Amino acid sequence: IGRVGQLAATVLRAQLMPSALEVAAPSGDGYELVVLLEGTPAGVAGRAEATRRLLGDGAVLTEHAPSWWATYPWRVGDTGAKLTCVLSGVPDLLAAARSAGERHEAPIDVRGSAGTGVLYAGVPAATHPDRVARIVEELRGAAHEAGGHAVVLTAPAPVRERVDLWGPVEGLDLMRRVKARFDPDARLAPGRFVGGI
């Protein structure tokens, strides 16, 4: 997983101007780093060759996106979270997800942008809600250490009962005062935002 950060940093430093720098880290071993290059055919061909040389022997040039491209790493009924971090924190966040999955015996798949520090993690619906809650807390801690946050985007009801979907948020008192000012009767989407606002 540490190699993901090295490869991503190499691509970004080389100023190849990728349109996307995506990573997939399925549960278990391995990862896939994909560099999307767009532009004129001649320009793309030159940058693609330079990228292949930078990434080394394992790099493969293709005109087709991988099957996981533009999809979340969860299915209906699973728990899905958005994890953010500074770019240098991507490898640590990927490693934390893999470690949490191993420790709690739950396969966690992670995908997202190694170029922007926005990752998505999926935990299967078959995972006990208490384990999911512990996993979410660990991922929140790892995201915070990596300069970001973790928000649960989707989860089955038993998980929602055990987990604060938003996590800790700075400025909650101010948000409550603003909400009370503009919606004094609490009619607009009550309880759906952070802190039950």
Side-chain angles (χ1 to χ4, degrees):
I1 291 292
R3 183 102 169 101
V4 170
Q6 294 168 346
L7 293 173
T10 298
V11 170
L12 294 173
R13 267 194 316 270
Q15 298 181 1
L16 296 165
M17 298 186 305
S19 297
L21 183 59
E22 301 292 304
V23 64
S27 61
D29 292 329
Y31 64 87
E32 188 174 0
L33 184 69
V34 177
V35 181
L36 173 64
L37 300 170
E38 297 177 311
T40 64
V44 169
R47 289 184 294 139
E49 183 55 31
T51 302
R52 189 192 60 71
R53 282 193 312 270
L54 276 174
L55 297 180
D57 294 337
V60 176
L61 297 178
T62 180
E63 293 184 12
H64 305 287
S67 61
W68 53 264
W69 190 265
T71 62
Y72 291 119
W74 61 77
R75 296 183 184 124
V76 174
D78 292 351
T79 298
K82 178 180 180 180
L83 313 171
T84 63
C85 63
V86 297
L87 294 184
S88 62
V90 168
D92 292 338
L93 205 47
L94 291 170
R98 185 157 287 162
S99 176
E102 291 170 0
R103 194 170 26 268
H104 296 289
E105 298 176 354
I108 300 173
D109 291 338
V110 181
R111 319 189 176 123
S113 176
T116 63
V118 178
L119 304 173
Y120 297 92
V123 182
T127 308
H128 191 278
D130 290 336
R131 283 187 184 182
V132 175
R134 288 192 296 273
I135 289 168
V136 167
E137 287 308 308
E138 285 185 30
L139 292 178
R140 279 208 171 112
H144 181 73
E145 286 180 24
H149 303 283
V151 177
V152 176
L153 300 177
T154 184
V159 172
R160 288 176 172 269
E161 293 169 4
R162 291 168 174 80
V163 174
D164 177 358
L165 301 180
W166 296 95
V169 175
E170 294 179 21
L172 189 55
D173 290 334
L174 175 61
M175 288 185 225
R176 284 190 172 121
R177 290 194 308 269
V178 169
K179 168 81 169 160
R181 184 76 180 236
F182 287 97
D183 183 22
D185 297 326
R187 294 182 186 193
L188 303 174
R192 292 192 181 183
F193 192 54
V194 63
I197 296 176

